Amino acid sequence: MTRICEYCKNNFTARTTKTRYCSLSCNSKHLKIKKRQNKRQINNDEIILKNNKLKEPLKDKEFLTVKQASLLLNMSIKTIYRLIERNDINSFNFSERKTTIRRKDIDFYFDANLKILEKTKLDIAADYSFENSYTMQQIQEKFKISNGALYNIIMKFKIPKRKHGKYTLVKKEHIEKIFI
């Protein structure tokens, strides 16, 4: 009976119907690989469980250390210290080695940044409308240039453009400065 070895993928003649490997060395090498993969999987599962166990009690705490905040936010400790230095997150130093952060300050940081992000998206959408902007096709037709030439001009002069649905909009004032 001809079979294919599960480790080296060579054809061999099997003596029984249960034979899976061409030799004892292929069998032992494949077994080592399987054991290694199982150890990695178990280790990864343990790490995931440990992280989840660490994060669960942190959700209920009112005051967090920098390390706890980094675990909760899934950021590095240095990033948390940078946020503290920039006064994005309020903190209190009990001593040189003990810095605490209120949970409310972390929540406020996220709420403030989400509001700023939403506001900038609305401002960008209001700035680029079909009344004050050209589409790429309109520019090509009006100034009789190719798509590649338009792309090169936009890149050369660093003209900002925005996607609006299926259209790419470029402000009229930027294009008219170049062509007129």
Side-chain angles (χ1 to χ4, degrees):
M1 178 180 306
T2 304
R3 294 259 174 131
I4 298 174
C5 178
E6 289 185 19
Y7 178 72
C8 66
K9 308 296 185 211
N10 291 333
N11 289 332
F12 70 98
T13 304
R15 292 182 183 170
T16 67
T17 57
K18 295 182 178 183
T19 306
R20 296 167 47 192
Y21 306 100
C22 63
S23 66
L24 183 61
S25 65
C26 283
N27 186 2
S28 61
K29 288 175 186 176
H30 196 248
L31 182 64
K32 285 181 183 179
I33 291 172
K34 280 186 172 182
K35 282 184 180 180
R36 198 175 303 132
Q37 288 173 345
N38 285 339
K39 280 184 182 179
R40 284 184 188 147
Q41 185 62 38
I42 290 169
N43 193 16
N44 289 341
D45 293 342
E46 287 175 0
I47 290 170
I48 290 170
L49 282 173
K50 187 183 258 187
N51 285 340
N52 288 340
K53 284 181 182 178
L54 288 173
K55 288 180 183 178
E56 298 236 347
L58 296 180
K59 292 179 180 178
D60 300 331
K61 284 190 171 182
E62 185 66 28
F63 297 97
L64 303 170
T65 64
V66 174
K67 186 173 183 178
Q68 290 171 338
S70 71
L71 282 172
L72 183 68
L73 299 175
N74 209 12
M75 295 178 177
S76 71
I77 293 173
K78 284 188 174 190
T79 303
I80 301 294
Y81 277 117
R82 268 190 237 114
L83 291 173
I84 292 169
E85 285 177 18
R86 290 190 318 212
N87 293 326
D88 289 340
I89 294 179
N90 294 329
S91 67
F92 183 77
N93 292 344
F94 285 107
S95 67
E96 191 175 303
R97 295 177 151 252
K98 186 73 172 179
T99 303
T100 58
I101 303 168
R102 279 191 321 178
R103 178 62 191 248
K104 290 178 184 178
D105 292 331
I106 293 173
D107 294 337
F108 178 75
Y109 171 72
F110 279 106
D111 291 340
N113 282 334
L114 286 175
K115 289 176 185 176
I116 291 170
L117 186 65
E118 289 172 4
K119 184 180 177 186
T120 55
K121 282 184 180 178
L122 291 174
D123 291 344
I124 289 171
D127 286 349
Y128 287 85
S129 64
F130 287 104
E131 291 82 35
N132 68 354
S133 303
Y134 289 123
T135 64
M136 300 297 258
Q137 292 170 338
Q138 289 173 338
I139 297 169
Q140 289 174 11
E141 291 169 4
K142 184 172 182 175
F143 300 104
K144 295 182 174 69
I145 60 171
S146 68
N147 189 25
L150 177 59
Y151 177 77
N152 287 335
I153 289 170
I154 288 174
M155 295 306 285
K156 180 180 179 182
F157 293 103
K158 297 178 182 173
I159 299 173
K161 59 186 185 218
R162 297 286 179 263
K163 286 292 272 182
H164 189 272
K166 67 178 185 176
Y167 299 105
T168 302
L169 299 178
V170 180
K171 287 199 171 190
K172 289 181 179 180
E173 60 196 45
H174 296 301
I175 294 296
E176 289 173 353
K177 281 181 186 176
I178 295 169
F179 289 107
I180 298 177

